[in-house]
Amino acid sequence: MTSTLQPAVAAEAGKRPGRWLALCVLVLAVLLVAVDATVLGLATPYISEDLDPSGTQLLWIGDVYSFVIAGLLVSMGSLGDRIGRKRILLGGATAFGAVSVLNAYATTPELLILARALLGVAGATLMPATLALIRNLFHDARERSLAVGVWGATASAGTAVGPIVGGFLLEHFWWGSVFLINLPVMAVLVLVGIRLLPESRNPDPGPWDLVGVLLSLAGMIATVYAVKEAAAHGFTRTVLGAGLVGVAALYWFVRRQLTLPTPLLDIRLFRSRGFSGAVLADLLTVLGMSGLIFFLSQYLQLVQGRRPFEAGLAELPAAVGAVAAGL
């Protein structure tokens, strides 16, 4: 009897007080990162009218945020292992709020693209740190599984909620307000997170692979640039050159990670069909939802003539479905 109850008693004793409230702080960060990925969907016509960007510039305004996040996620997660996940989360949240102001008051397409890229750098510090801190907060396997489910549902819901939030703000304020909404939320995250979140880091992380960081970022940006320019201007020498540079950088990144004793990303994980299947499912989900929400936002406003908030509400079923699927 004693030996049967002992693991349960030990697990109960290892449960950290306030862990669920701390989870609320973590998913708040994830929610904002996800919302900012799609909140510009409804604001695009207003930005086009105000800043008069070219077609390619408009694509970069909408996409550079997500591309920078994708290119830096692994690197920022590795950096958090070294300097502390709580520290990088709170520092990234502070930077996210500050750069949001630069986005809101951008006066040229070039400045807005730069500001969105910097917002992506700050956002990349938040996503991996939240997951690592969940692992440190929840030692019980069942609780951890539920916490990760809540995290995933929040990330999915944020993508779908972005148009609703953006629609409401656009009906009452100018397009820059979709960025300023980040400030009070980030202030709450930082102030509450200082008290509730535990600090954690990898005690033996190994050296940080700066070359790998640069390769992953260069490969992502160059490849995406080539795809965008090919769609706009065809396969010119510049497009082909950028594409070759991107593919070569990503290939070098993979080869380098396979040879390092402590890689940024363990490529061998993809040999597991369960892991690869989950990553592929996530990829298809993000591609489908992001594309649908972006184009649906334009269609509801420009073709059907709906007001921004009305268009956002029309996309509410996507948010409900995302929460259910995420959990």
Side-chain angles (χ1 to χ4, degrees):
M1 177 72 74
T2 304
S3 60
T4 303
L5 293 178
Q6 190 172 4
V9 173
E12 189 68 30
K15 293 180 179 179
R16 182 183 293 272
R19 60 193 180 281
W20 294 108
L21 188 57
L23 177 64
C24 293
V25 176
L26 296 178
V27 298
L28 192 63
V30 175
L31 180 65
L32 272 187
V33 173
V35 165
D36 265 69
T38 57
V39 74
L40 273 190
L42 292 174
T44 299
Y46 298 89
I47 293 174
S48 298
E49 182 179 353
D50 189 22
L51 302 183
D52 193 26
S54 66
T56 301
Q57 287 175 329
L58 193 60
L59 284 174
W60 278 111
I61 289 171
D63 294 340
V64 70
Y65 171 78
S66 299
F67 293 145
V68 172
I69 286 182
L72 290 178
L73 269 181
V74 173
S75 306
M76 290 302 180
S78 180
L79 182 62
D81 291 341
R82 288 156 174 76
I83 69 174
R85 288 105 180 207
K86 176 181 178 179
R87 178 178 298 176
I88 198 169
L89 175 69
L90 297 181
T94 303
F96 198 92
V99 178
S100 294
V101 178
L102 180 61
N103 279 263
Y105 292 101
T107 55
T108 64
E110 294 81 5
L111 181 57
L112 185 55
I113 292 171
L114 174 61
R116 288 282 286 169
L118 293 176
L119 199 65
V121 175
T125 66
L126 304 180
M127 300 289 277
T130 54
L131 276 175
L133 286 168
I134 285 176
R135 177 65 183 86
N136 195 49
L137 282 167
F138 295 92
H139 300 286
D140 179 75
R142 290 186 177 182
E143 286 192 350
R144 188 190 315 131
S145 179
L146 177 59
V148 172
V150 171
W151 184 95
T154 305
S156 299
T159 305
V161 167
I164 301 174
V165 175
F168 176 80
L169 292 172
L170 288 168
E171 286 204 7
H172 296 84
F173 309 99
W174 94 113
W175 61 263
S177 61
V178 300
F179 297 107
L180 293 183
I181 191 64
N182 296 335
L183 297 179
V185 180
M186 282 301 177
V188 172
L189 190 158
V190 171
L191 294 176
V192 178
I194 290 174
R195 293 181 57 85
L196 290 180
L197 297 178
E199 183 59 281
S200 69
R201 57 173 57 87
N202 188 338
D204 186 24
W208 197 51
D209 182 21
L210 180 59
V211 174
V213 172
L214 297 176
L215 285 174
S216 64
L217 188 59
M220 180 72 66
I221 298 298
T223 302
V224 171
Y225 173 82
V227 172
K228 285 182 174 293
E229 289 298 307
H233 306 294
F235 291 95
T236 63
R237 291 183 180 179
T238 303
V239 169
L240 293 174
L244 289 174
V245 168
V247 172
L250 291 175
Y251 177 78
W252 188 7
F253 172 79
V254 171
R255 295 284 298 178
R256 181 177 176 82
Q257 299 310 300
L258 288 172
T259 60
L260 293 176
T262 53
L264 288 172
L265 176 64
D266 189 356
I267 305 297
R268 295 176 181 85
L269 287 172
F270 289 93
R271 294 175 180 172
S272 167
R273 286 187 296 177
F275 180 83
S276 297
V279 171
L280 179 61
D282 279 344
L283 174 62
L284 294 176
T285 300
V286 171
L287 287 175
M289 176 166 280
S290 300
L292 174 66
I293 288 176
F294 179 80
F295 289 108
L296 191 58
S297 298
Q298 311 308 306
Y299 175 79
L300 292 172
Q301 289 185 100
L302 301 178
V303 178
Q304 293 192 351
R306 296 174 183 254
R307 293 179 293 108
F309 186 54
E310 184 185 359
L313 287 177
E315 299 174 33
L316 185 59
V320 176
V323 171
L327 288 172

